Amino acid sequence: MSRNLPIDRTRNIGIMAHIDAGKTTLTERVLFFTGKTHKMGEVHEGTAEMDWMVQEKERGITITAAATTCTWKNSAINIIDTPGHVDFTMEVERSLRVLDSAIAVFDGVAGVEPQSETVWRQADKYNVPRICFVNKLDRLGADYEQCIRMIKDKLYAVPLPLQIPIGAESSFTGVVDIITMKAIVWNDQSGKEFEFLEIPDDLKAKADSARDNMIEKLADCDESILEKFLEGISPTEDEIKKAIRNATINAKLYPVFCGSALKNKGIQPLLDAIVDYLPSPKDKPAVQGHDVNDYAKLITREVDDKEHFCALVFKIMTDPHVGKLSYMRVYSGTFKSGDQILNVFSGKKERIGKFLRMHANNREEIDAVYTGDIVVAVGLKTVRTGDTVTSVEYPILLEKMTFPEPVISIAMELKSKGDQDKLNQALLRLADEDPTFRSNISEETGQLIISGMGELHLDIIVDRLLREFNIPANVGKPQVTYKETITVPAVSEHVYEKQIGGKDNFGHVKISIEPSESGKGFIFKNNISPELIPKIFIDSIHAGLIDSMMSGVIAGYKMEDITVTLLKADYNELKSSELAYRIAANMALKDGVREAKPFLMEPIMKLEIVSPEEYTGDIINDLNSRRGKIENIDFKGNLKVLEALIPLSEAFGYATVVRSMSQGRATHTLQYSHYDLVPESIMNRILGKFSGLI
């Protein structure tokens, strides 16, 4: 087995941005100019290669992260084009988990938008180096310098502009390269032909200032550049590029490029930057994981083909012709198709039928995979998103991926009982593909409840069930997924003593409960000495508490943000059993919650509205009537930007409302922020509806 290109010539990048910033259009241009495709797909025409789902083509948005591979200057570039809509932000999260670097795309008119901030923070979480691309500079109102200021002010990052635009809006023709101090001008519409020219006279002073600024910023990060800077010597082009690469990989600086993807301008220099400045897998630290026999012990796998094989499954898709497709990032070692693999999380061994290299939903079969590859394995039945797969003899458990809980639900009823089996299979497949999707049967109504991250998320799921899986069903209106918590401390105990099947069962549990910090979920503390009760029973108590947290005492919603401390657990050597302690703990928590003033919590959404000033008065009044809370008011050119928090229950159908109030001139973005207590009057109204009293 041998790889086509050395590992240091591999780049694993993601393309991330706010919705409609031009990610997919940029990806289409990258594929065209690298020779991967021979015709440029267009999002607005529904012909984009990377938006392959029917729903993506119809709506002109990216829903699922699509992977592809291309080559540029003797380097392999593995690309994942991620969604920009907030409802699908988990697609971005799980992609960034396995990527080495990313391109952050910004709309040259809008600048840094709410979802731009979200994906930037996600990249911060995984220490992903980034370069920035300011897109749409051909559009009316585009402002490159304003966008750079917003990167600094809103993202708290240090941008390093390496280009300045030539012309603006409809007269945008090219860029000035600050490193070579040459103008790059695109003369034909296809973008294939460009020429290097002298910098226009009216931009020379600006280019000199930008270069001085670049050298100063690099001097702060690189000692060799600093020495030359202090001596008044201009560093060479190679020295500058080396310093930029080091600063980018260490996330000290974020190089900024510009262009217009739709007009095919600025793509080739961006491709050069991917190769020159972004890290290869070899530039990243060795991957760490846990010893399967001792979770506290960490194991390291070097980024090397000669290491033991280790990969992380970050995405599952199902193909009607091939079956289950497991997207994985290979962190170390090599592996051949047909060999046996270990799913470390489940402990099960499986055989990989074949490996595929993906281009959106098109497939190319390959014989083997190598360190740094992003590929698809066919034939794995037990793996789920976040599972580690390794060679059978040398297991390692990589850090699991965490996913947020759904915030919105709808009820579905089948039109025909004969479709039940087909529905069950479809729900399992959707849950496999999307870890933020949930489904369950309501105990009160017997209806199927499906839950997701937002109205659009549920709309897509329902559309797939009706069309892709051909399941006729009646669909209800979206409902908020509430949670329950407590507001005051309480102490509770429960004794469970019962004979089952002729065997005595005894368990006695005493606990204290108190509210914990918002977003902390469930916290368990054990104050009992291990000499007083065997550990196996403590585990049973813990399991019983977790069981109880799944269903609250007010309306059966999941409980959150509660700290439980185990104060006492009597032990009877003859009668004590795991079942008894589990039931006792479950009942003790339920009893305690009833005494601790339980309350409903609702999802609060972060809302940003961009509107002409004359409509903001009506918009603010409407927000106040919806229990909205204005956080900030700012200006963006002639427009006002309102930032607010609003309960999800008050935000259904808000797009229509804000369009109506502004004669279609205002835009808004809604994304999940946190859960908070529901006002008591609103809670009583909700509970009245829940119990059927209203």
Side-chain angles (χ1 to χ4, degrees), residues 66-84:
T68 188
T69 300
C70 58
T71 55
W72 181 258
K73 292 193 172 177
N74 200 34
S75 293
I77 305 174
N78 297 317
I79 302 173
I80 296 182
D81 177 28
T82 65

Side-chain angles (χ1 to χ4, degrees), residues 19 22-25 27-28 31 41-67 81-84 359-361:
I19 191 169
K23 295 179 306 303
T24 302
T25 301
T27 309
E28 295 294 322
L31 296 177
E42 301 293 356
V43 174
H44 58 276
E45 293 174 2
T47 58
E49 292 263 343
M50 302 303 282
D51 285 349
W52 57 270
M53 291 175 66
V54 174
Q55 291 81 2
E56 291 177 317
K57 291 184 182 295
E58 287 178 350
R59 290 168 167 82
I61 62 170
T62 302
I63 293 168
T64 183
D81 177 28
T82 65
H359 173 56
N361 66 329

